[in-house]
């Protein structure tokens, strides 16, 4: 499978060839194949990190190829160098593309972080597949419009001035599969602080609704038992907590009354 590794075991007569050079050769003909590496630490430059040969000196030399791609398919040869004619055995290697699975849509940002003008990132991903490429399309007539060549679609208020439908297509060299439709329903269009709802065709939804800040009012700890007036003009005694007249004004009032009474007495006595 593409992207994996494979190990081929090449056996030999250890009594006769334990010290001979062993190699790994690629090509359809034994006389013209290209040696990719050997057991004396030679590896072609383009295979430096992908090819490893190991002679265990017990009658086997192991050939390991990493990060296989489909182009690695072909005829290879296990070779043992010897005078006059090398010993060569052909190996056919077939590398296949990993089957592409239907891509799924996920949201990468938390709803709270994405509301009220913040962007939303929608991700498209296939669990399996070799060398998968992703493209987002916006539903349109007569042809759908490519939005971005990426697995991630970023939605912003400026892009959602009206309701739109999107889908993602995953593509390999041999196959392509699409996600279900994603509907972006705009509730309040605006370049900033818009509100919208994302709806998948399977019923799952994501809401981004504008909210009003909540004001918290501290209430008294004692239970409410009935109506009471915050202010009262009753006959409470001056100076008490229930009096509506501050203490200094109460004293001045009584002084003014005493002075007035005294003045009236003096005036009356002068007349007599």
């Amino acid at each position: 499978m593409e992207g994996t590794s494979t190990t081929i075991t090449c056996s030999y007569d250890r009594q006769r060839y334990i010290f001979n050079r062993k190699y790994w050769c690629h090509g359809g003909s034994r006389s013209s194949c290209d040696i990719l590496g050997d057991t004396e630490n030679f590896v072609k430059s383009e295979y430096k990190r992908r090819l490893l040969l190991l002679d265990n000196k017990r009658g086997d030399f192991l050939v390991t190829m990493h990060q296989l791609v489909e182009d690695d398919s072909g005829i290879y040869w296990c070779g043992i160098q010897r005078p006059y004619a090398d010993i060569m055995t052909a190996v056919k290697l077939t590398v296949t593309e990993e089957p592409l699975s239907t891509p799924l849509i996920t949201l990468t940002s938390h709803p709270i972080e994405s509301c009220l003008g913040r962007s939303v990132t929608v991700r498209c991903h296939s669990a399996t597949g070799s060398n998968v490429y992703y493209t987002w399309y916006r539903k349109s007539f007569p042809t759908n419009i490519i939005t971005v060549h990426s697995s991630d679609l970023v939605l912003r208020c400026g892009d959602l001035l009206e309701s739109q439908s999107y889908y993602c297509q995953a593509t390999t060299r041999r196959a392509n599969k699409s996600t279900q439709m994603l509907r972006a329903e705009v509730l309040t269009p605006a370049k900033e602080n818009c509100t919208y709802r994302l709806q998948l065709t399977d019923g799952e939804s994501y809401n981004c609704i504008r909210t009003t800040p909540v004001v918290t009012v501290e209430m008294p700890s004692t239970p409410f038992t009935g109506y009471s007036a915050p202010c009262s003009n009753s006959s409470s005694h001056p100076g008490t907590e229930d009096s509506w007249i501050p203490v200094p004004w109460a004293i001045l009032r009584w002084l003014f009354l005493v002075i007035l009474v005294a003045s009236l007495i003096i005036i009356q006595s002068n007349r007599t």
Side-chain angles (χ1 to χ4, degrees):
M1 198 78 72
E2 279 195 324
T4 62
S5 301
T6 187
T7 298
I8 297 93
T9 301
C10 302
S11 301
Y12 62 89
D13 185 347
R14 65 188 302 268
Q15 299 297 327
R16 302 175 61 183
Y17 304 114
I18 190 171
F19 297 112
N20 291 61
R21 170 177 171 261
K22 289 87 176 176
Y23 57 86
W24 183 244
C25 199
H26 182 214
S29 171
R30 59 182 291 158
S31 60
S32 62
C33 68
D34 183 20
I35 296 177
L36 306 182
D38 62 21
T39 54
E40 296 180 358
N41 297 323
F42 164 74
V43 177
K44 287 193 70 172
S45 58
E46 58 265 41
Y47 287 87
K48 284 291 185 183
R49 298 188 177 183
R50 298 185 53 218
L51 180 62
L52 175 65
L53 275 75
L54 176 64
D55 186 358
N56 62 15
K57 303 298 183 182
R58 295 192 297 271
D60 299 305
F61 72 93
L62 310 177
V63 180
T64 301
M65 297 183 67
H66 299 285
Q67 293 300 313
L68 293 169
V69 294
E70 195 172 18
D71 291 341
D72 288 325
S73 299
I75 302 297
Y76 292 82
W77 301 82
C78 295
I80 301 177
Q81 187 178 42
R82 68 174 185 175
Y84 307 113
D86 293 350
I87 300 175
M88 300 179 69
T89 302
V91 178
K92 183 179 181 181
L93 176 64
T94 302
V95 182
T96 59
E97 185 180 89
E98 184 179 26
L100 177 67
S101 63
T102 301
L104 300 176
I105 293 176
T106 57
L107 296 172
T108 65
S109 46
H110 193 277
I112 294 177
E113 298 172 353
S114 304
C115 292
L116 299 179
R118 298 185 179 94
S119 62
V120 175
T121 301
V122 186
R123 179 161 296 166
C124 168
H125 177 69
S126 293
T128 61
S130 303
N131 300 315
V132 184
Y133 298 92
Y134 299 96
T135 304
W136 278 96
Y137 292 85
R138 178 164 57 86
K139 195 76 173 175
S140 183
F141 181 82
T143 59
N144 298 326
I145 300 173
I146 294 176
T147 304
V148 63
H149 291 287
S150 172
S151 61
D152 289 355
L153 173 67
V154 181
L155 298 176
R156 302 177 179 89
C157 282
D159 304 323
L160 295 175
L161 298 181
E162 61 180 2
S163 298
Q164 303 284 354
S165 293
Y166 301 88
Y167 69 93
C168 171
Q169 185 177 82
T171 306
T172 63
R173 283 175 293 183
R174 285 189 168 84
N176 62 76
K177 293 185 178 182
S178 299
T179 64
Q180 56 184 306
M181 198 66 67
L182 174 69
R183 177 71 175 171
E185 181 183 352
V186 178
L187 305 177
T188 306
K191 290 186 177 180
E192 296 181 357
N193 296 334
C194 63
T195 60
Y196 51 89
R197 178 186 295 113
L198 299 182
Q199 182 78 36
L200 296 175
T201 52
D202 66 358
E204 185 179 355
S205 64
Y206 163 83
N207 294 313
C208 185
I209 308 300
R210 186 182 310 183
T211 57
T212 302
V214 177
V215 179
T216 303
V217 180
E218 294 291 337
M219 300 299 293
S221 57
T222 55
F224 178 76
T225 56
Y227 175 81
S228 63
C231 296
S232 173
N233 198 19
S234 62
S235 58
S236 301
H237 295 289
T240 64
E241 291 182 358
D242 293 332
S243 176
W244 65 276
I245 301 177
V247 173
W249 287 108
I251 295 174
L252 290 176
R253 186 189 66 176
W254 286 107
L255 287 175
F256 177 78
L257 181 62
V258 170
I259 293 171
L260 180 61
V261 172
S263 299
L264 292 174
I265 293 173
I266 293 172
I267 292 172
Q268 185 67 28
S269 62
N270 289 335
R271 289 179 178 179
T272 57

